[in-house]
Amino acid sequence: MLTENTSDQVGGMGEAALIREMLTCLGSAGPPPPHGPGDDCALLPAVGRRRLVTADPVIYKQHFLPQHSPRDVAAKLIRRNLSDIAAMGGRPEAAILSLSLPRQTSIRWLKRFFRALGSEAMRFEVTIIGGDCSESEGPPGFFMTMLGQAAGRRVLTRTGGRIGDMIYVTGRLGGSLLGRQFRFQPRLTEGVWLAGQRAVRSMIDLSDGMAKDLPELLPPGSAARLDAHQIPIARAAERRAKETGRPPLHHALHDGEDFELLFTVSGNTDLTRLERDWRGAFDVPLNQLGKIVPRSGSTPPILIDHAPDNFQLNRGYEHFR
Amino acid sequence: MLTENTSDQVGGMGEAALIREMLTCLGSAGPPPPHGPGDDCALLPAVGRRRLVTADPVIYKQHFLPQHSPRDVAAKLIRRNLSDIAAMGGRPEAAILSLSLPRQTSIRWLKRFFRALGSEAMRFEVTIIGGDCSESEGPPGFFMTMLGQAAGRRVLTRTGGRIGDMIYVTGRLGGSLLGRQFRFQPRLTEGVWLAGQRAVRSMIDLSDGMAKDLPELLPPGSAARLDAHQIPIARAAERRAKETGRPPLHHALHDGEDFELLFTVSGNTDLTRLERDWRGAFDVPLNQLGKIVPRSGSTPPILIDHAPDNFQLNRGYEHFR
């Protein structure tokens, strides 16, 4: 995405021309002002629902590499933000994109990126309503803020889980590095459905790996007791395990960027019925991994039954470590 | 803001600890989730008004330099976003902050920055409701998205000006490089007041300099005819002119980052009354610079009467040139 070919470099193009080019590529995903880019602010209509706001970037060498296509990078940028909206049970609405680009950034790469961003936005019914474009000496970075609306009266937060709750996860986990990190499906309709189920009490999306994200759902004085046999392991986690020599379970619990939904359900629920209703509505697998139990002084926050001998949990991915 | 002292570097601190430190420094400007940082999304209440969204970053070496204090950088970040809200006649509400930091970023610098950001946010009644924190190999960057609400039924956009409109500007222009680029006052109450005046038709904030920003207010087939004697020149523009050898008028029309409001008023208005009402409400100077006139084929978009001999307008600041 960086080029030595000066005629393809964004430096010298001019900010105004770059923004025009971006709007052309975005097509109808970038509506005219005041509801789209072009004025001092973009306008959002008044609606009778609460709004949701989240922000996630993709930065060169941190979230993608030279070999990744502009299409993959655009998909990742939009979808990781959508996954946060899904995790609250919301519907996406609009996105704001701030670009930080060195002069060597390839115009050709950017055009392909903007076109992909436009088609991703259309697909998920999001409009790109504004942003900013700055020159920088650093690696290219795409900083998105996403706005959504609560789908109903209820949104699901990370707090709300209680001791006795069952822990569920959508999809299969691990090995996202082998491709799913770009091509995952944000669980939007599933998130809305779950927020509509009274028995569901708390939810998070798995972005940094179960080992780091699951503790966010645990109320004080509690731990998660999981059954290793119930943890849905992606085939990619098995392939990855062959590369690393670690058990597939390690990858299912530690690899980041699954972007599946992890949620807790009241133990006083007809779980069979909930699971049957889910299967009636969605093809995505749903697995009950374990439950929230009382935690005594020195126990770790996650206990795993039926794990391989000497299996150890460590923290998931964290910046600045 | 970058340091060789490893014990003061953000690398090794851990993202979680950095976010905790930020929240401590922000104090009550960073409310608890779900209305502040800490969940997958932040929640904004449903309100009966339209919302406004804008985004502006500050990036090291682009928008500030090593000699600038964390307090100045925080003020600039918040205020340049506030100025965009002001330019629509809105009231600010909440901000989302994405950080992109190299490992060498000084923790001490960041703490001072976050504390200043908290006090700026409190001062302007904005809460910091969420964001993201990523490691990067590039220069430190602070990417803000600001949300606001329309103050009344009407918001002012850049379009809406017509031939015959009078052109007004608040404050005095030029030389912001000498300090005002960090210590300007976003014209929030003035913006709300102007949006409430039916005679005011269009508005923009001066961020890239009059020469670049004024054409944004001109409808097709029109030009701006200004009187050089009526252009309010800041003392800093005169000081700057001594350094550059250019006329102070050059700096008043080309220097960016004035963050004053430029707006157009219907010519069929009692302008004397409007100006008197303004003076009754605000101490900030208000000047009528000229008017919107029909444009014939080859005339430039801005004509200046009483300019110094050989005075030439060029474009204001633009990234990637």
Side-chain angles (χ1 to χ4, degrees), chain B residues 45-64:
Chain B
V47 291
R49 294 173 186 282
R50 290 177 291 173
R51 280 200 158 93
L52 302 167
V53 194
T54 185
D56 269 314
V58 291
I59 302 172
Y60 184 62
K61 291 197 186 170
Q62 295 294 321
H63 305 99
F64 68 99

Side-chain angles (χ1 to χ4, degrees), chain B residues 29-318:
Chain B
H35 297 282
D39 214 308
D40 292 302
C41 295
L43 268 181
L44 284 171
V47 291
R49 294 173 186 282
R50 290 177 291 173
R51 280 200 158 93
L52 302 167
V53 194
T54 185
D56 269 314
V58 291
I59 302 172
Y60 184 62
K61 291 197 186 170
Q62 295 294 321
H63 305 99
F64 68 99
L65 296 168
Q67 66 266 31
H68 295 127
S69 73
R71 171 163 290 280
D72 276 351
V73 178
K76 183 167 192 166
L77 177 60
I78 288 258
R79 294 179 186 209
R80 65 190 303 229
N81 280 282
L82 289 171
S83 185
D84 282 325
I85 302 280
M88 307 283 284
R91 291 205 173 92
E93 182 178 13
I96 297 94
L97 178 61
S98 294
L99 309 174
S100 170
L101 302 174
R103 302 179 68 82
Q104 300 78 20
T105 310
S106 157
I107 297 170
R108 227 177 110 239
W109 193 99
L110 280 178
K111 282 192 194 175
R112 292 173 61 204
F113 171 81
F114 291 138
R115 275 195 289 266
L117 197 68
S119 73
E120 283 286 311
M122 298 282 282
R123 174 172 177 171
F124 292 104
E125 298 178 48
V126 173
T127 48
I128 312 287
I129 60 170
D132 178 81
C133 184
S134 289
E135 201 174 318
S136 151
E137 289 177 13
F142 304 91
F143 297 83
M144 183 168 274
T145 298
M146 176 89 68
L147 293 155
Q149 293 178 19
R153 289 209 180 161
R154 201 160 165 251
V155 294
L156 287 171
T157 65
R158 294 179 180 184
T159 56
R162 298 186 215 163
I163 289 169
D165 279 10
M166 300 300 167
I167 302 169
Y168 281 87
V169 74
T170 64
R172 298 185 212 284
L173 309 178
S176 68
L177 207 63
L178 300 181
R180 199 159 22 92
Q181 59 166 330
F182 294 106
R183 270 162 257 136
F184 60 94
Q185 283 299 328
R187 302 300 187 195
L188 285 161
T189 47
E190 294 84 354
V192 169
W193 189 88
L194 290 166
Q197 306 294 317
R198 274 242 304 263
V200 178
R201 281 182 163 151
S202 63
M203 187 152 72
I204 190 173
D205 72 319
L206 288 173
S207 52
D208 296 329
M210 176 88 76
K212 182 156 165 238
D213 293 330
L214 173 52
E216 298 287 331
L217 296 185
L218 299 174
S222 76
R225 177 158 212 133
L226 306 184
D227 181 344
H229 295 161
Q230 300 303 317
I231 293 169
I233 295 174
R235 261 194 236 159
E238 285 163 10
R239 294 208 321 269
R240 187 89 182 101
K242 284 186 188 141
E243 294 171 8
T244 63
R246 287 173 152 151
L249 184 66
H250 172 90
H251 291 287
L253 295 176
H254 292 97
D255 291 358
E257 308 197 309
D258 284 312
F259 298 108
E260 295 292 349
L261 295 177
L262 182 72
F263 58 94
T264 76
V265 179
S266 160
N268 304 320
T269 306
D270 183 344
L271 297 171
T272 314
R273 186 177 166 167
L274 181 86
E275 292 175 21
R276 197 184 56 216
D277 290 350
W278 173 276
R279 285 194 305 272
F282 305 110
D283 291 331
V284 179
L286 181 67
N287 281 279
Q288 187 202 315
L289 310 173
K291 67 189 287 188
I292 304 182
V293 298
R295 181 181 183 183
S296 59
S298 59
T299 38
I302 303 180
L303 309 158
I304 308 180
D305 295 329
H306 309 119
D309 286 347
N310 299 319
F311 184 80
Q312 284 244 324
L313 271 187
N314 45 43
R315 283 183 293 215
Y317 181 75
E318 192 179 10

Side-chain angles (χ1 to χ4, degrees), chain A residues 10-18 34 38-57 59 61-63 84-85 87-88 96 98 100-101 103 129 131-139 143 145 147 155 157-158 203-205 212 318-321, chain B residues 10-18 34 38-57 59 61-63 84-85 87-88 96 98 100-101 103 129 131-139 143 145 147 155 157-158 203-205 212 318-321:
Chain A
V10 79
M13 180 184 197
E15 184 184 356
L18 175 60
D39 214 307
D40 293 302
C41 296
L43 267 181
L44 284 172
V47 290
R49 294 173 186 280
R50 289 179 291 174
R51 279 199 159 92
L52 302 167
V53 195
T54 186
D56 270 313
I59 302 172
K61 291 197 185 171
Q62 295 293 322
H63 305 98
D84 282 325
I85 302 280
M88 307 283 284
I96 297 94
S98 294
S100 170
L101 302 174
R103 302 180 69 83
I129 61 170
D132 178 81
C133 185
S134 288
E135 201 174 319
S136 152
E137 289 177 12
F143 297 83
T145 298
L147 293 155
V155 294
T157 65
R158 295 179 179 185
M203 187 152 71
I204 190 172
D205 71 320
K212 181 155 166 237
E318 192 180 11
H319 283 288
F320 304 113
R321 276 218 171 265
Chain B
V10 80
M13 179 184 199
E15 184 183 357
L18 174 61
D39 214 308
D40 292 302
C41 295
L43 268 181
L44 284 171
V47 291
R49 294 173 186 282
R50 290 177 291 173
R51 280 200 158 93
L52 302 167
V53 194
T54 185
D56 269 314
I59 302 172
K61 291 197 186 170
Q62 295 294 321
H63 305 99
D84 282 325
I85 302 280
M88 307 283 284
I96 297 94
S98 294
S100 170
L101 302 174
R103 302 179 68 82
I129 60 170
D132 178 81
C133 184
S134 289
E135 201 174 318
S136 151
E137 289 177 13
F143 297 83
T145 298
L147 293 155
V155 294
T157 65
R158 294 179 180 184
M203 187 152 72
I204 190 173
D205 72 319
K212 182 156 165 238
E318 192 179 10
H319 285 287
F320 304 113
R321 278 219 171 264

